[in-house]
Amino acid sequence: MATVTEEAIVDINEGAPGQGLTFVQKYKEKLPVRLGELTDKVLEQLKVLNKAIFPVKYNDKFYADVMASGLYTKLAYYSTDILVGAICCRLEKPAPPAGGGAAAAGGTRLYIMTIGVLAPYRSCGVGTEMLEQTLDDAEKDASVSEAYLHVQTSNTDAMAFYKRFGFEVTSTIKNYYKRIDPPDCHVLTKTFAR
């Protein structure tokens, strides 16, 4: 088992400085990973990985959206060819107004559908590296105005993780999840300054 080699201490403030929650993330030794893009050739590997990590089975539309996201979906490989994690995204174009005409202002939104790492490789910086690279790519793309995702309201570790990257709770959706308790989620959003 790897030893703890560094700590990231983050003060998550809901009000004035010093009045928030302090979150300490302890890392095992940072894992050297290579990030790769999703191709038809490795799509089946992603399906197997997601089945091992998540308690739900994703449908064909999920994988079609992921394939269409281009460089925003990333696969994390350890030791050149061992798939240990993935971040799966979807690009959402602004919807045209109901009466037709030009699309609404605001730009394309990047929806982070899943981010997961196999259990033995967690707390080694893999998820951080995937999210950082995806957000860097989105920030460089002038057409992407924001990134957002859903987090179960009881998942305080995930909330703290995403807040480290500038995500903020923008809304709460009641009964979002169908088969888990609690069923509510927070929508976290990061807007890119232009």
Side-chain angles (χ1 to χ4, degrees):
M1 192 70 168
T3 59
V4 174
T5 58
E6 65 179 280
E7 289 184 2
I9 301 175
V10 179
D11 189 20
I12 302 165
N13 293 303
E14 295 298 328
Q19 294 181 356
L21 166 72
T22 299
F23 171 72
V24 178
Q25 172 69 52
K26 295 185 183 274
Y27 293 103
K28 295 185 253 181
E29 191 171 310
K30 187 163 170 47
L31 193 68
V33 294
R34 175 185 61 82
L35 297 182
E37 292 184 21
L38 180 62
T39 63
D40 289 331
K41 184 177 175 183
V42 294
L43 180 60
E44 287 305 315
Q45 288 180 0
L46 175 62
K47 289 179 179 181
V48 171
L49 178 80
N50 281 347
K51 188 175 179 182
I53 295 173
F54 300 111
V56 296
K57 183 176 185 227
Y58 293 102
N59 61 26
D60 291 339
K61 175 158 179 13
F62 173 92
Y63 290 105
D65 288 344
V66 169
M67 288 294 293
S69 76
L71 65 103
Y72 295 108
T73 290
K74 306 217 178 299
L75 307 178
Y77 294 94
Y78 173 64
S79 186
T80 69
D81 64 349
I82 302 169
L83 183 60
V84 298
I87 181 169
C88 296
C89 301
R90 175 176 71 211
L91 289 169
E92 298 177 349
K93 304 285 184 195
T108 300
R109 300 174 76 200
L110 178 68
Y111 176 46
I112 300 172
M113 297 189 289
T114 63
I115 181 169
V117 177
L118 290 172
Y121 302 95
R122 292 182 188 149
S123 297
C124 296
V126 177
T128 295
E129 191 165 337
M130 290 187 298
L131 184 59
E132 282 177 341
Q133 186 60 56
T134 296
L135 293 175
D136 285 349
D137 290 342
E139 197 158 21
K140 292 174 189 171
D141 184 344
S143 70
V144 178
S145 61
E146 65 184 15
Y148 79 102
L149 52 94
H150 296 92
V151 174
Q152 188 178 17
T153 54
S154 63
N155 193 342
T156 56
D157 288 343
M159 297 284 296
F161 175 76
Y162 291 115
K163 285 184 177 185
R164 286 178 27 215
F165 296 93
F167 283 86
E168 296 178 357
V169 175
T170 52
S171 66
T172 301
I173 302 172
K174 297 287 185 190
N175 299 312
Y176 178 77
Y177 299 109
K178 305 295 181 224
R179 295 181 189 96
I180 57 175
D181 191 49
D184 306 335
C185 78
H186 292 303
V187 177
L188 279 73
T189 305
K190 177 183 176 79
T191 302
F192 300 111
R194 302 281 182 226

